[in-house]
Amino acid sequence: MIVKNEEANIERCLTSVKPFADELIVVDTGSTDRTIELCQAAGAQVYTFEWNNNFADARNYSLDQATGDWILWMDADEVLDGSAAADWKEQLAAETDSVLNVHLINYIGEETNPNETFHIAHTRLFRNRIGLRFLYHIHETLNVEEVFINDHALSRIKLHDGLTIHHYGYLQEYTTAKKKNERNLVMLLHELTVENNNPWTEYHLASEYYRLGKFEQAYEFVNLSIARFLKNDKLPPSLLYKLKYSCLISVGSVEGIPSAIDKAIKLYPDYVDLYFFKGVALYISKLYTLALDVFEQCLLMGEDNINHLTLRGSGSFHAWYYKGGCLEKLGKTELAINAYKEALSLYPNYTHAQEALDSLTMPLKQLEKKG
């Protein structure tokens, strides 16, 4: 891992990893707090790297220090849950693949809430000394495609189902304290000026603008990213389409979304979030019968497919809530009440569902009292 001024997080992270790792390698890029001291106390080997505004360089320096057969890479604001990986070393010793995904859970919002999360299978485990390195100044990524060129087996990297990584860095307290948005925007805008920069740059810029609530800028950059992937004869990754339609819904520009998003669904027919956004667009357009069909499809699909960046609830409580909204608008009050109750059974603190349920049941209760 690479770190800087992470005294608030580093002990929690290293404590979670220690039972699984033969060596803990930390590259410090200029900490002025107790980070180095805490890492050493946890048994980590700490190396210093002069910061050069390049996350990939720092990350690759950390790889150079590793002597193990396998590498797990993490960030300080993450925690490893390996409760389902008791036979961890035996699993890796028997593994035939060279690269593995891990279930990554990204927490969002103001507090740690498992229902306010995004889930994805993320490439975090790989064999050492096979040529894998990190690319890009920011939002560094492993060069899997370069190392395994024309290897169709890597089109679907296998998930190591014994490990889960919890990432807290998108919670409000972390982004505010570290001024992540401002730092990332500066680095990404500079990356745009670098020769041979990649289409992910525009996507990450779009993501930063989206988190800042600047949806029009986000929409502009995600479209640029999609266009550049297509220009390079590459299929734009599914999460680009998710962000594109999320931007449009956020600014209330839903006209044309259902037919347009169908094209993305043809590319990624197993991505529940695309169906969910289609349903939301139909709902906002007051096409409640059509929207109802889509939300029922979301519930049939569920949200366990984490090959795509998936919003928790898109195939469960959010879909139930919107299903309730459709039924309510169609005058099917009892069915709407049941749908809201289903949403709350899955997410008891779901404010919108509770308010919707109360608005339907309160008048009924008052009538019962009068009777």
Side-chain angles (χ1 to χ4, degrees), residues 195-230:
E195 190 175 356
N196 296 324
N197 67 75
N198 70 95
W200 281 110
T201 305
E202 284 90 346
Y203 166 74
H204 290 305
L205 272 167
S207 296
E208 296 296 339
Y209 282 123
Y210 185 88
R211 280 191 281 271
L212 290 169
K214 298 181 178 180
F215 303 120
E216 292 181 1
Q217 291 98 319
Y219 182 71
E220 176 187 349
F221 276 106
V222 75
N223 272 337
L224 287 171
S225 181
I226 290 171
R228 286 192 61 200
F229 272 104
L230 292 172

PDB file of all heavy atoms in Angstrom, residues 195-230:
ATOM      1  N   GLU A 195       0.241  13.717 -23.226  1.00  0.00           N
ATOM      2  CA  GLU A 195       0.112  12.978 -24.490  1.00  0.00           C
ATOM      3  C   GLU A 195      -0.230  11.524 -24.210  1.00  0.00           C
ATOM      4  O   GLU A 195       0.265  10.911 -23.271  1.00  0.00           O
ATOM      5  CB  GLU A 195       1.433  13.068 -25.274  1.00  0.00           C
ATOM      6  CG  GLU A 195       1.334  12.551 -26.694  1.00  0.00           C
ATOM      7  CD  GLU A 195       2.634  12.760 -27.480  1.00  0.00           C
ATOM      8  OE1 GLU A 195       3.556  13.368 -26.928  1.00  0.00           O
ATOM      9  OE2 GLU A 195       2.689  12.311 -28.625  1.00  0.00           O
ATOM     10  N   ASN A 196      -1.102  10.970 -25.034  1.00  0.00           N
ATOM     11  CA  ASN A 196      -1.510   9.570 -24.928  1.00  0.00           C
ATOM     12  C   ASN A 196      -2.245   9.262 -23.620  1.00  0.00           C
ATOM     13  O   ASN A 196      -2.165   8.143 -23.105  1.00  0.00           O
ATOM     14  CB  ASN A 196      -0.301   8.633 -25.073  1.00  0.00           C
ATOM     15  CG  ASN A 196       0.345   8.723 -26.436  1.00  0.00           C
ATOM     16  OD1 ASN A 196      -0.350   8.897 -27.440  1.00  0.00           O
ATOM     17  ND2 ASN A 196       1.660   8.632 -26.479  1.00  0.00           N
ATOM     18  N   ASN A 197      -2.939  10.262 -23.060  1.00  0.00           N
ATOM     19  CA  ASN A 197      -3.761   9.945 -21.895  1.00  0.00           C
ATOM     20  C   ASN A 197      -4.915   9.044 -22.351  1.00  0.00           C
ATOM     21  O   ASN A 197      -5.189   8.915 -23.537  1.00  0.00           O
ATOM     22  CB  ASN A 197      -4.271  11.210 -21.209  1.00  0.00           C
ATOM     23  CG  ASN A 197      -5.258  11.992 -22.063  1.00  0.00           C
ATOM     24  OD1 ASN A 197      -6.410  11.611 -22.206  1.00  0.00           O
ATOM     25  ND2 ASN A 197      -4.801  13.093 -22.647  1.00  0.00           N
ATOM     26  N   ASN A 198      -5.575   8.410 -21.411  1.00  0.00           N
ATOM     27  CA  ASN A 198      -6.540   7.366 -21.751  1.00  0.00           C
ATOM     28  C   ASN A 198      -7.972   7.808 -21.484  1.00  0.00           C
ATOM     29  O   ASN A 198      -8.207   8.765 -20.732  1.00  0.00           O
ATOM     30  CB  ASN A 198      -6.208   6.106 -20.946  1.00  0.00           C
ATOM     31  CG  ASN A 198      -6.513   6.312 -19.470  1.00  0.00           C
ATOM     32  OD1 ASN A 198      -7.578   5.954 -18.991  1.00  0.00           O
ATOM     33  ND2 ASN A 198      -5.576   6.908 -18.732  1.00  0.00           N
ATOM     34  N   PRO A 199      -8.958   7.128 -22.068  1.00  0.00           N
ATOM     35  CA  PRO A 199     -10.358   7.538 -21.929  1.00  0.00           C
ATOM     36  C   PRO A 199     -10.894   7.485 -20.499  1.00  0.00           C
ATOM     37  O   PRO A 199     -11.933   8.068 -20.215  1.00  0.00           O
ATOM     38  CB  PRO A 199     -11.113   6.547 -22.818  1.00  0.00           C
ATOM     39  CG  PRO A 199     -10.102   6.015 -23.760  1.00  0.00           C
ATOM     40  CD  PRO A 199      -8.812   6.017 -23.023  1.00  0.00           C
ATOM     41  N   TRP A 200     -10.189   6.770 -19.632  1.00  0.00           N
ATOM     42  CA  TRP A 200     -10.620   6.739 -18.235  1.00  0.00           C
ATOM     43  C   TRP A 200     -10.483   8.110 -17.587  1.00  0.00           C
ATOM     44  O   TRP A 200     -11.169   8.409 -16.600  1.00  0.00           O
ATOM     45  CB  TRP A 200      -9.809   5.713 -17.451  1.00  0.00           C
ATOM     46  CG  TRP A 200     -10.249   4.295 -17.661  1.00  0.00           C
ATOM     47  CD1 TRP A 200      -9.577   3.309 -18.319  1.00  0.00           C
ATOM     48  CD2 TRP A 200     -11.470   3.698 -17.204  1.00  0.00           C
ATOM     49  NE1 TRP A 200     -10.294   2.142 -18.310  1.00  0.00           N
ATOM     50  CE2 TRP A 200     -11.457   2.343 -17.627  1.00  0.00           C
ATOM     51  CE3 TRP A 200     -12.564   4.169 -16.488  1.00  0.00           C
ATOM     52  CZ2 TRP A 200     -12.502   1.475 -17.354  1.00  0.00           C
ATOM     53  CZ3 TRP A 200     -13.611   3.297 -16.206  1.00  0.00           C
ATOM     54  CH2 TRP A 200     -13.574   1.964 -16.631  1.00  0.00           C
ATOM     55  N   THR A 201      -9.595   8.947 -18.109  1.00  0.00           N
ATOM     56  CA  THR A 201      -9.389  10.271 -17.518  1.00  0.00           C
ATOM     57  C   THR A 201     -10.692  11.061 -17.518  1.00  0.00           C
ATOM     58  O   THR A 201     -11.094  11.644 -16.506  1.00  0.00           O
ATOM     59  CB  THR A 201      -8.300  11.044 -18.282  1.00  0.00           C
ATOM     60  OG1 THR A 201      -7.101  10.258 -18.321  1.00  0.00           O
ATOM     61  CG2 THR A 201      -8.009  12.382 -17.606  1.00  0.00           C
ATOM     62  N   GLU A 202     -11.370  11.088 -18.663  1.00  0.00           N
ATOM     63  CA  GLU A 202     -12.639  11.807 -18.751  1.00  0.00           C
ATOM     64  C   GLU A 202     -13.696  11.180 -17.840  1.00  0.00           C
ATOM     65  O   GLU A 202     -14.502  11.899 -17.235  1.00  0.00           O
ATOM     66  CB  GLU A 202     -13.151  11.829 -20.192  1.00  0.00           C
ATOM     67  CG  GLU A 202     -12.436  12.817 -21.092  1.00  0.00           C
ATOM     68  CD  GLU A 202     -11.226  12.226 -21.793  1.00  0.00           C
ATOM     69  OE1 GLU A 202     -10.782  11.129 -21.394  1.00  0.00           O
ATOM     70  OE2 GLU A 202     -10.723  12.843 -22.732  1.00  0.00           O
ATOM     71  N   TYR A 203     -13.685   9.853 -17.745  1.00  0.00           N
ATOM     72  CA  TYR A 203     -14.652   9.214 -16.853  1.00  0.00           C
ATOM     73  C   TYR A 203     -14.424   9.641 -15.401  1.00  0.00           C
ATOM     74  O   TYR A 203     -15.381   9.980 -14.682  1.00  0.00           O
ATOM     75  CB  TYR A 203     -14.572   7.683 -16.942  1.00  0.00           C
ATOM     76  CG  TYR A 203     -15.321   7.023 -15.799  1.00  0.00           C
ATOM     77  CD1 TYR A 203     -16.713   6.993 -15.794  1.00  0.00           C
ATOM     78  CD2 TYR A 203     -14.641   6.498 -14.708  1.00  0.00           C
ATOM     79  CE1 TYR A 203     -17.411   6.440 -14.725  1.00  0.00           C
ATOM     80  CE2 TYR A 203     -15.331   5.945 -13.638  1.00  0.00           C
ATOM     81  CZ  TYR A 203     -16.713   5.919 -13.652  1.00  0.00           C
ATOM     82  OH  TYR A 203     -17.396   5.389 -12.588  1.00  0.00           O
ATOM     83  N   HIS A 204     -13.177   9.619 -14.960  1.00  0.00           N
ATOM     84  CA  HIS A 204     -12.900   9.985 -13.570  1.00  0.00           C
ATOM     85  C   HIS A 204     -13.187  11.470 -13.316  1.00  0.00           C
ATOM     86  O   HIS A 204     -13.641  11.834 -12.219  1.00  0.00           O
ATOM     87  CB  HIS A 204     -11.458   9.641 -13.214  1.00  0.00           C
ATOM     88  CG  HIS A 204     -11.194   8.167 -13.126  1.00  0.00           C
ATOM     89  ND1 HIS A 204     -11.927   7.339 -12.303  1.00  0.00           N
ATOM     90  CD2 HIS A 204     -10.289   7.368 -13.754  1.00  0.00           C
ATOM     91  CE1 HIS A 204     -11.483   6.095 -12.428  1.00  0.00           C
ATOM     92  NE2 HIS A 204     -10.498   6.092 -13.301  1.00  0.00           N
ATOM     93  N   LEU A 205     -12.972  12.301 -14.312  1.00  0.00           N
ATOM     94  CA  LEU A 205     -13.370  13.707 -14.178  1.00  0.00           C
ATOM     95  C   LEU A 205     -14.891  13.815 -14.024  1.00  0.00           C
ATOM     96  O   LEU A 205     -15.393  14.564 -13.174  1.00  0.00           O
ATOM     97  CB  LEU A 205     -12.917  14.504 -15.414  1.00  0.00           C
ATOM     98  CG  LEU A 205     -11.516  15.093 -15.367  1.00  0.00           C
ATOM     99  CD1 LEU A 205     -11.093  15.564 -16.757  1.00  0.00           C
ATOM    100  CD2 LEU A 205     -11.438  16.261 -14.375  1.00  0.00           C
ATOM    101  N   ALA A 206     -15.607  13.052 -14.827  1.00  0.00           N
ATOM    102  CA  ALA A 206     -17.066  13.048 -14.723  1.00  0.00           C
ATOM    103  C   ALA A 206     -17.505  12.613 -13.330  1.00  0.00           C
ATOM    104  O   ALA A 206     -18.423  13.197 -12.747  1.00  0.00           O
ATOM    105  CB  ALA A 206     -17.660  12.132 -15.787  1.00  0.00           C
ATOM    106  N   SER A 207     -16.849  11.602 -12.783  1.00  0.00           N
ATOM    107  CA  SER A 207     -17.202  11.107 -11.453  1.00  0.00           C
ATOM    108  C   SER A 207     -16.971  12.167 -10.384  1.00  0.00           C
ATOM    109  O   SER A 207     -17.787  12.334  -9.461  1.00  0.00           O
ATOM    110  CB  SER A 207     -16.390   9.852 -11.116  1.00  0.00           C
ATOM    111  OG  SER A 207     -16.708   8.796 -11.986  1.00  0.00           O
ATOM    112  N   GLU A 208     -15.850  12.880 -10.497  1.00  0.00           N
ATOM    113  CA  GLU A 208     -15.561  13.937  -9.522  1.00  0.00           C
ATOM    114  C   GLU A 208     -16.601  15.054  -9.599  1.00  0.00           C
ATOM    115  O   GLU A 208     -17.094  15.529  -8.575  1.00  0.00           O
ATOM    116  CB  GLU A 208     -14.156  14.506  -9.747  1.00  0.00           C
ATOM    117  CG  GLU A 208     -13.021  13.522  -9.532  1.00  0.00           C
ATOM    118  CD  GLU A 208     -12.915  13.031  -8.097  1.00  0.00           C
ATOM    119  OE1 GLU A 208     -13.426  13.704  -7.179  1.00  0.00           O
ATOM    120  OE2 GLU A 208     -12.329  11.951  -7.891  1.00  0.00           O
ATOM    121  N   TYR A 209     -16.943  15.475 -10.814  1.00  0.00           N
ATOM    122  CA  TYR A 209     -17.949  16.521 -10.969  1.00  0.00           C
ATOM    123  C   TYR A 209     -19.308  16.040 -10.463  1.00  0.00           C
ATOM    124  O   TYR A 209     -20.064  16.817  -9.856  1.00  0.00           O
ATOM    125  CB  TYR A 209     -18.047  16.962 -12.434  1.00  0.00           C
ATOM    126  CG  TYR A 209     -16.928  17.886 -12.857  1.00  0.00           C
ATOM    127  CD1 TYR A 209     -16.093  17.572 -13.931  1.00  0.00           C
ATOM    128  CD2 TYR A 209     -16.705  19.085 -12.185  1.00  0.00           C
ATOM    129  CE1 TYR A 209     -15.069  18.420 -14.327  1.00  0.00           C
ATOM    130  CE2 TYR A 209     -15.678  19.938 -12.565  1.00  0.00           C
ATOM    131  CZ  TYR A 209     -14.858  19.602 -13.631  1.00  0.00           C
ATOM    132  OH  TYR A 209     -13.844  20.447 -14.006  1.00  0.00           O
ATOM    133  N   TYR A 210     -19.618  14.775 -10.684  1.00  0.00           N
ATOM    134  CA  TYR A 210     -20.889  14.229 -10.212  1.00  0.00           C
ATOM    135  C   TYR A 210     -20.956  14.288  -8.684  1.00  0.00           C
ATOM    136  O   TYR A 210     -21.981  14.694  -8.112  1.00  0.00           O
ATOM    137  CB  TYR A 210     -21.064  12.790 -10.699  1.00  0.00           C
ATOM    138  CG  TYR A 210     -22.411  12.201 -10.349  1.00  0.00           C
ATOM    139  CD1 TYR A 210     -23.493  12.378 -11.199  1.00  0.00           C
ATOM    140  CD2 TYR A 210     -22.594  11.483  -9.170  1.00  0.00           C
ATOM    141  CE1 TYR A 210     -24.749  11.853 -10.885  1.00  0.00           C
ATOM    142  CE2 TYR A 210     -23.843  10.957  -8.844  1.00  0.00           C
ATOM    143  CZ  TYR A 210     -24.908  11.141  -9.705  1.00  0.00           C
ATOM    144  OH  TYR A 210     -26.141  10.642  -9.383  1.00  0.00           O
ATOM    145  N   ARG A 211     -19.863  13.892  -8.021  1.00  0.00           N
ATOM    146  CA  ARG A 211     -19.855  13.916  -6.557  1.00  0.00           C
ATOM    147  C   ARG A 211     -19.975  15.338  -6.017  1.00  0.00           C
ATOM    148  O   ARG A 211     -20.447  15.551  -4.902  1.00  0.00           O
ATOM    149  CB  ARG A 211     -18.581  13.243  -6.030  1.00  0.00           C
ATOM    150  CG  ARG A 211     -18.667  11.718  -6.023  1.00  0.00           C
ATOM    151  CD  ARG A 211     -17.529  11.099  -5.254  1.00  0.00           C
ATOM    152  NE  ARG A 211     -16.301  11.068  -6.020  1.00  0.00           N
ATOM    153  CZ  ARG A 211     -15.946  10.076  -6.822  1.00  0.00           C
ATOM    154  NH1 ARG A 211     -16.764   9.045  -6.989  1.00  0.00           N
ATOM    155  NH2 ARG A 211     -14.810  10.114  -7.476  1.00  0.00           N
ATOM    156  N   LEU A 212     -19.540  16.318  -6.800  1.00  0.00           N
ATOM    157  CA  LEU A 212     -19.652  17.716  -6.402  1.00  0.00           C
ATOM    158  C   LEU A 212     -21.015  18.316  -6.758  1.00  0.00           C
ATOM    159  O   LEU A 212     -21.270  19.488  -6.486  1.00  0.00           O
ATOM    160  CB  LEU A 212     -18.546  18.539  -7.065  1.00  0.00           C
ATOM    161  CG  LEU A 212     -17.116  18.294  -6.552  1.00  0.00           C
ATOM    162  CD1 LEU A 212     -16.101  18.961  -7.475  1.00  0.00           C
ATOM    163  CD2 LEU A 212     -16.966  18.796  -5.121  1.00  0.00           C
ATOM    164  N   GLY A 213     -21.870  17.504  -7.390  1.00  0.00           N
ATOM    165  CA  GLY A 213     -23.190  17.991  -7.782  1.00  0.00           C
ATOM    166  C   GLY A 213     -23.178  18.818  -9.056  1.00  0.00           C
ATOM    167  O   GLY A 213     -24.172  19.471  -9.391  1.00  0.00           O
ATOM    168  N   LYS A 214     -22.067  18.771  -9.801  1.00  0.00           N
ATOM    169  CA  LYS A 214     -21.972  19.504 -11.062  1.00  0.00           C
ATOM    170  C   LYS A 214     -22.304  18.543 -12.201  1.00  0.00           C
ATOM    171  O   LYS A 214     -21.431  18.047 -12.910  1.00  0.00           O
ATOM    172  CB  LYS A 214     -20.569  20.099 -11.215  1.00  0.00           C
ATOM    173  CG  LYS A 214     -20.235  21.117 -10.113  1.00  0.00           C
ATOM    174  CD  LYS A 214     -18.847  21.720 -10.298  1.00  0.00           C
ATOM    175  CE  LYS A 214     -18.563  22.764  -9.227  1.00  0.00           C
ATOM    176  NZ  LYS A 214     -17.214  23.382  -9.380  1.00  0.00           N
ATOM    177  N   PHE A 215     -23.599  18.294 -12.355  1.00  0.00           N
ATOM    178  CA  PHE A 215     -24.052  17.212 -13.220  1.00  0.00           C
ATOM    179  C   PHE A 215     -23.859  17.511 -14.708  1.00  0.00           C
ATOM    180  O   PHE A 215     -23.643  16.593 -15.495  1.00  0.00           O
ATOM    181  CB  PHE A 215     -25.517  16.901 -12.925  1.00  0.00           C
ATOM    182  CG  PHE A 215     -25.769  16.539 -11.491  1.00  0.00           C
ATOM    183  CD1 PHE A 215     -26.628  17.293 -10.705  1.00  0.00           C
ATOM    184  CD2 PHE A 215     -25.128  15.447 -10.909  1.00  0.00           C
ATOM    185  CE1 PHE A 215     -26.852  16.965  -9.379  1.00  0.00           C
ATOM    186  CE2 PHE A 215     -25.349  15.108  -9.583  1.00  0.00           C
ATOM    187  CZ  PHE A 215     -26.209  15.877  -8.815  1.00  0.00           C
ATOM    188  N   GLU A 216     -23.960  18.767 -15.089  1.00  0.00           N
ATOM    189  CA  GLU A 216     -23.771  19.096 -16.510  1.00  0.00           C
ATOM    190  C   GLU A 216     -22.334  18.851 -16.946  1.00  0.00           C
ATOM    191  O   GLU A 216     -22.084  18.304 -18.022  1.00  0.00           O
ATOM    192  CB  GLU A 216     -24.189  20.544 -16.769  1.00  0.00           C
ATOM    193  CG  GLU A 216     -25.691  20.761 -16.624  1.00  0.00           C
ATOM    194  CD  GLU A 216     -26.101  22.190 -16.898  1.00  0.00           C
ATOM    195  OE1 GLU A 216     -25.225  23.020 -17.218  1.00  0.00           O
ATOM    196  OE2 GLU A 216     -27.315  22.489 -16.797  1.00  0.00           O
ATOM    197  N   GLN A 217     -21.375  19.258 -16.101  1.00  0.00           N
ATOM    198  CA  GLN A 217     -19.965  18.979 -16.423  1.00  0.00           C
ATOM    199  C   GLN A 217     -19.710  17.475 -16.427  1.00  0.00           C
ATOM    200  O   GLN A 217     -18.971  16.964 -17.272  1.00  0.00           O
ATOM    201  CB  GLN A 217     -19.033  19.661 -15.415  1.00  0.00           C
ATOM    202  CG  GLN A 217     -19.007  21.171 -15.512  1.00  0.00           C
ATOM    203  CD  GLN A 217     -19.931  21.822 -14.485  1.00  0.00           C
ATOM    204  OE1 GLN A 217     -21.045  21.337 -14.251  1.00  0.00           O
ATOM    205  NE2 GLN A 217     -19.468  22.896 -13.880  1.00  0.00           N
ATOM    206  N   ALA A 218     -20.328  16.782 -15.473  1.00  0.00           N
ATOM    207  CA  ALA A 218     -20.159  15.332 -15.403  1.00  0.00           C
ATOM    208  C   ALA A 218     -20.676  14.667 -16.677  1.00  0.00           C
ATOM    209  O   ALA A 218     -20.024  13.773 -17.242  1.00  0.00           O
ATOM    210  CB  ALA A 218     -20.891  14.782 -14.183  1.00  0.00           C
ATOM    211  N   TYR A 219     -21.835  15.125 -17.134  1.00  0.00           N
ATOM    212  CA  TYR A 219     -22.434  14.561 -18.350  1.00  0.00           C
ATOM    213  C   TYR A 219     -21.533  14.810 -19.557  1.00  0.00           C
ATOM    214  O   TYR A 219     -21.337  13.928 -20.400  1.00  0.00           O
ATOM    215  CB  TYR A 219     -23.809  15.181 -18.573  1.00  0.00           C
ATOM    216  CG  TYR A 219     -24.539  14.645 -19.778  1.00  0.00           C
ATOM    217  CD1 TYR A 219     -25.051  13.358 -19.802  1.00  0.00           C
ATOM    218  CD2 TYR A 219     -24.724  15.443 -20.914  1.00  0.00           C
ATOM    219  CE1 TYR A 219     -25.722  12.868 -20.903  1.00  0.00           C
ATOM    220  CE2 TYR A 219     -25.399  14.958 -22.025  1.00  0.00           C
ATOM    221  CZ  TYR A 219     -25.890  13.677 -22.015  1.00  0.00           C
ATOM    222  OH  TYR A 219     -26.553  13.188 -23.111  1.00  0.00           O
ATOM    223  N   GLU A 220     -20.963  15.998 -19.630  1.00  0.00           N
ATOM    224  CA  GLU A 220     -20.079  16.332 -20.751  1.00  0.00           C
ATOM    225  C   GLU A 220     -18.876  15.407 -20.792  1.00  0.00           C
ATOM    226  O   GLU A 220     -18.517  14.870 -21.849  1.00  0.00           O
ATOM    227  CB  GLU A 220     -19.617  17.786 -20.611  1.00  0.00           C
ATOM    228  CG  GLU A 220     -18.610  18.227 -21.660  1.00  0.00           C
ATOM    229  CD  GLU A 220     -18.053  19.621 -21.395  1.00  0.00           C
ATOM    230  OE1 GLU A 220     -18.603  20.326 -20.519  1.00  0.00           O
ATOM    231  OE2 GLU A 220     -17.067  19.998 -22.053  1.00  0.00           O
ATOM    232  N   PHE A 221     -18.267  15.186 -19.636  1.00  0.00           N
ATOM    233  CA  PHE A 221     -17.043  14.381 -19.625  1.00  0.00           C
ATOM    234  C   PHE A 221     -17.317  12.892 -19.785  1.00  0.00           C
ATOM    235  O   PHE A 221     -16.515  12.177 -20.398  1.00  0.00           O
ATOM    236  CB  PHE A 221     -16.241  14.650 -18.348  1.00  0.00           C
ATOM    237  CG  PHE A 221     -15.364  15.872 -18.442  1.00  0.00           C
ATOM    238  CD1 PHE A 221     -15.700  17.038 -17.782  1.00  0.00           C
ATOM    239  CD2 PHE A 221     -14.215  15.851 -19.217  1.00  0.00           C
ATOM    240  CE1 PHE A 221     -14.897  18.173 -17.881  1.00  0.00           C
ATOM    241  CE2 PHE A 221     -13.399  16.974 -19.324  1.00  0.00           C
ATOM    242  CZ  PHE A 221     -13.753  18.138 -18.662  1.00  0.00           C
ATOM    243  N   VAL A 222     -18.433  12.392 -19.268  1.00  0.00           N
ATOM    244  CA  VAL A 222     -18.702  10.969 -19.448  1.00  0.00           C
ATOM    245  C   VAL A 222     -19.006  10.680 -20.911  1.00  0.00           C
ATOM    246  O   VAL A 222     -18.638   9.619 -21.449  1.00  0.00           O
ATOM    247  CB  VAL A 222     -19.832  10.482 -18.520  1.00  0.00           C
ATOM    248  CG1 VAL A 222     -21.210  10.912 -18.986  1.00  0.00           C
ATOM    249  CG2 VAL A 222     -19.788   8.961 -18.390  1.00  0.00           C
ATOM    250  N   ASN A 223     -19.648  11.617 -21.604  1.00  0.00           N
ATOM    251  CA  ASN A 223     -19.874  11.445 -23.039  1.00  0.00           C
ATOM    252  C   ASN A 223     -18.559  11.447 -23.812  1.00  0.00           C
ATOM    253  O   ASN A 223     -18.378  10.683 -24.769  1.00  0.00           O
ATOM    254  CB  ASN A 223     -20.796  12.537 -23.572  1.00  0.00           C
ATOM    255  CG  ASN A 223     -22.260  12.165 -23.445  1.00  0.00           C
ATOM    256  OD1 ASN A 223     -22.601  10.987 -23.372  1.00  0.00           O
ATOM    257  ND2 ASN A 223     -23.127  13.155 -23.397  1.00  0.00           N
ATOM    258  N   LEU A 224     -17.638  12.316 -23.413  1.00  0.00           N
ATOM    259  CA  LEU A 224     -16.313  12.339 -24.050  1.00  0.00           C
ATOM    260  C   LEU A 224     -15.593  11.015 -23.841  1.00  0.00           C
ATOM    261  O   LEU A 224     -14.929  10.499 -24.743  1.00  0.00           O
ATOM    262  CB  LEU A 224     -15.476  13.492 -23.494  1.00  0.00           C
ATOM    263  CG  LEU A 224     -15.867  14.901 -23.935  1.00  0.00           C
ATOM    264  CD1 LEU A 224     -15.092  15.948 -23.138  1.00  0.00           C
ATOM    265  CD2 LEU A 224     -15.604  15.082 -25.432  1.00  0.00           C
ATOM    266  N   SER A 225     -15.727  10.470 -22.644  1.00  0.00           N
ATOM    267  CA  SER A 225     -15.088   9.190 -22.347  1.00  0.00           C
ATOM    268  C   SER A 225     -15.663   8.080 -23.220  1.00  0.00           C
ATOM    269  O   SER A 225     -14.922   7.285 -23.813  1.00  0.00           O
ATOM    270  CB  SER A 225     -15.273   8.849 -20.867  1.00  0.00           C
ATOM    271  OG  SER A 225     -14.648   7.627 -20.552  1.00  0.00           O
ATOM    272  N   ILE A 226     -16.978   8.024 -23.316  1.00  0.00           N
ATOM    273  CA  ILE A 226     -17.630   7.007 -24.161  1.00  0.00           C
ATOM    274  C   ILE A 226     -17.157   7.136 -25.607  1.00  0.00           C
ATOM    275  O   ILE A 226     -16.814   6.142 -26.265  1.00  0.00           O
ATOM    276  CB  ILE A 226     -19.161   7.141 -24.070  1.00  0.00           C
ATOM    277  CG1 ILE A 226     -19.654   6.703 -22.684  1.00  0.00           C
ATOM    278  CG2 ILE A 226     -19.845   6.300 -25.151  1.00  0.00           C
ATOM    279  CD1 ILE A 226     -21.119   7.004 -22.420  1.00  0.00           C
ATOM    280  N   ALA A 227     -17.125   8.375 -26.095  1.00  0.00           N
ATOM    281  CA  ALA A 227     -16.706   8.612 -27.481  1.00  0.00           C
ATOM    282  C   ALA A 227     -15.273   8.169 -27.721  1.00  0.00           C
ATOM    283  O   ALA A 227     -14.951   7.592 -28.768  1.00  0.00           O
ATOM    284  CB  ALA A 227     -16.866  10.093 -27.821  1.00  0.00           C
ATOM    285  N   ARG A 228     -14.410   8.407 -26.743  1.00  0.00           N
ATOM    286  CA  ARG A 228     -12.999   8.032 -26.919  1.00  0.00           C
ATOM    287  C   ARG A 228     -12.810   6.525 -26.879  1.00  0.00           C
ATOM    288  O   ARG A 228     -11.973   5.981 -27.609  1.00  0.00           O
ATOM    289  CB  ARG A 228     -12.140   8.705 -25.855  1.00  0.00           C
ATOM    290  CG  ARG A 228     -11.942  10.211 -26.104  1.00  0.00           C
ATOM    291  CD  ARG A 228     -10.870  10.773 -25.204  1.00  0.00           C
ATOM    292  NE  ARG A 228      -9.591  10.128 -25.460  1.00  0.00           N
ATOM    293  CZ  ARG A 228      -8.579  10.137 -24.595  1.00  0.00           C
ATOM    294  NH1 ARG A 228      -8.715  10.714 -23.423  1.00  0.00           N
ATOM    295  NH2 ARG A 228      -7.441   9.543 -24.887  1.00  0.00           N
ATOM    296  N   PHE A 229     -13.555   5.839 -26.031  1.00  0.00           N
ATOM    297  CA  PHE A 229     -13.480   4.371 -26.035  1.00  0.00           C
ATOM    298  C   PHE A 229     -13.900   3.834 -27.400  1.00  0.00           C
ATOM    299  O   PHE A 229     -13.237   2.951 -27.967  1.00  0.00           O
ATOM    300  CB  PHE A 229     -14.369   3.777 -24.937  1.00  0.00           C
ATOM    301  CG  PHE A 229     -13.690   3.624 -23.612  1.00  0.00           C
ATOM    302  CD1 PHE A 229     -13.960   4.499 -22.573  1.00  0.00           C
ATOM    303  CD2 PHE A 229     -12.777   2.603 -23.393  1.00  0.00           C
ATOM    304  CE1 PHE A 229     -13.333   4.358 -21.334  1.00  0.00           C
ATOM    305  CE2 PHE A 229     -12.132   2.451 -22.171  1.00  0.00           C
ATOM    306  CZ  PHE A 229     -12.422   3.337 -21.136  1.00  0.00           C
ATOM    307  N   LEU A 230     -14.994   4.369 -27.930  1.00  0.00           N
ATOM    308  CA  LEU A 230     -15.480   3.911 -29.238  1.00  0.00           C
ATOM    309  C   LEU A 230     -14.469   4.233 -30.338  1.00  0.00           C
ATOM    310  O   LEU A 230     -14.252   3.417 -31.248  1.00  0.00           O
ATOM    311  CB  LEU A 230     -16.828   4.567 -29.534  1.00  0.00           C
ATOM    312  CG  LEU A 230     -17.995   4.118 -28.650  1.00  0.00           C
ATOM    313  CD1 LEU A 230     -19.223   4.982 -28.907  1.00  0.00           C
ATOM    314  CD2 LEU A 230     -18.320   2.642 -28.880  1.00  0.00           C
TER     315      LEU A 230
END
